[in-house]
Amino acid sequence: MEKRIIIAIDGYSSSGKSTMARELARRIGYVYVDSGAMYRAVTLFAMRNGMISPEGNIDTARLIASLPEIGITFEAAGADGVQHTLLNGEDVENEIRSMEVSSFVSPVAVIPEVRERLVALQQDFGRKKGIVMDGRDIGTTVFPNAEMKVFVCASPEERARRRYLELTAKGVKADYDEVLRNVVERDRIDTTREVSPLRKADDAIELDNGHMTPAEQMDWLMDKFHEIEARPA
Ligand code: CDP
């Protein structure tokens, strides 16, 4: 039987992880899981239920108590080729990408109980292997034994430029400076938090994609995948 592995893709916000992870999974017939979408869905739930004030104060106790009520699932890619995130059965794929959710998600992702619950769900998704998951702590905490680990980086300006283009292409009004501030602030929170901070796993391969085209990036990933897949189990 063909060997199926776990692929962990971690890195900074807007480094293009999701796009590359999704495309890699499609090419090799693996399941793709966007762990960031799960943190975003929890954040949206908290916003809708008045657990986050406009100034960004989080009612942590109430959010922790509500965790069992938050169901997160994914719907297979539809006509748009994108997998949709469902919050208690409702398609929230567009809403979770808003700037508002982006500005509250990192403080929510700091809460240890939130991480504990989402990490357990993510590990469940990986039980059968044959999975590509992207996020911040996939190679360090969720799947420390993943056979292939990639750590993606690019400058904050390049990442903000990409996020800005992504939002404008979707028809969302965006301001480049605001997007850049959000990217820098999330990097700060994600790398300095106490539980599972964003860092490169010792055995992760680094991919600096600042000057790579998407096609070059895919070739690089496919080469690494074939090399690792061919190794004896
Ligand atoms: O889309 P982008 O790369 O900017 O971010 P994302 O992957 O959607 O993740 C949104 C936020 O969720 C991150 O900034 C982290 O604060 C948090 N996150 C995390 O803490 N752990 C993960 N495994 C994935 C996301």
Side-chain angles (χ1 to χ4, degrees):
M1 205 188 107
E2 158 203 13
K3 179 173 120 187
R4 289 167 74 79
I5 64 169
I6 292 185
I7 303 175
I9 302 193
D10 288 305
Y12 293 97
S13 94
S14 312
S15 54
K17 298 180 303 293
S18 305
T19 313
M20 79 170 79
R22 186 184 306 124
E23 173 64 10
L24 175 64
R26 195 187 64 75
R27 288 206 193 180
I28 63 181
Y30 275 26
V31 169
Y32 164 62
V33 174
D34 176 352
S35 70
M38 301 169 74
Y39 288 93
R40 288 174 179 272
V42 170
T43 305
L44 181 65
F45 177 92
M47 283 163 55
R48 283 181 173 179
N49 289 282
M51 298 172 189
I52 305 183
S53 73
E55 305 77 47
N57 295 316
I58 305 169
D59 187 341
T60 309
R62 204 148 72 81
L63 177 55
I64 293 171
S66 305
L67 284 174
E69 290 164 38
I70 308 179
I72 301 168
T73 46
F74 293 99
E75 196 171 74
D80 56 3
V82 176
Q83 187 182 47
H84 285 214
T85 311
L86 308 185
L87 170 60
N88 292 329
E90 177 194 345
D91 186 337
V92 292
E93 186 55 36
N94 278 335
E95 231 176 313
I96 59 169
R97 309 290 164 191
S98 70
M99 272 311 282
E100 210 185 352
V101 171
S102 294
S103 66
F104 294 136
V105 62
S106 288
V108 167
V110 161
I111 303 168
E113 289 82 354
V114 168
R115 305 205 67 82
E116 207 176 299
R117 173 157 164 88
L118 294 190
V119 167
L121 275 175
Q122 290 152 9
Q123 289 172 335
D124 237 26
F125 284 131
R127 248 175 250 300
K128 291 197 210 130
K129 298 216 173 185
I131 192 170
V132 183
M133 192 177 293
D134 77 316
R136 302 290 189 284
D137 61 341
I138 311 306
T140 52
T141 303
V142 182
F143 298 122
N145 297 322
E147 289 84 351
M148 174 166 164
K149 296 183 187 177
V150 179
F151 190 80
V152 195
C153 40
S155 73
E157 289 75 18
E158 173 60 23
R159 289 183 283 124
R161 196 183 64 83
R162 290 180 193 163
R163 177 52 56 96
Y164 173 80
L165 291 176
E166 188 181 275
L167 287 168
T168 351
K170 277 192 199 157
V172 179
K173 233 177 107 233
D175 172 61
Y176 173 82
D177 292 325
E178 189 192 347
V179 174
L180 177 61
R181 273 196 302 277
N182 177 256
V183 161
V184 171
E185 177 60 5
R186 277 199 289 140
D187 285 356
R188 187 188 67 73
I189 302 177
D190 292 349
T191 50
T192 57
R193 72 175 171 230
E194 211 141 298
V195 182
S196 313
L198 167 65
R199 66 168 183 83
K200 178 182 163 301
D202 295 335
D203 52 351
I205 354 173
E206 197 165 317
L207 168 62
D208 183 341
N209 70 2
H211 303 287
M212 270 176 148
T213 65
E216 285 167 348
Q217 197 170 280
M218 269 323 293
D219 289 346
W220 185 94
L221 273 175
M222 289 299 287
D223 283 351
K224 296 285 177 215
F225 170 71
H226 289 309
E227 195 184 306
I228 293 170
E229 197 196 25
R231 278 183 202 155

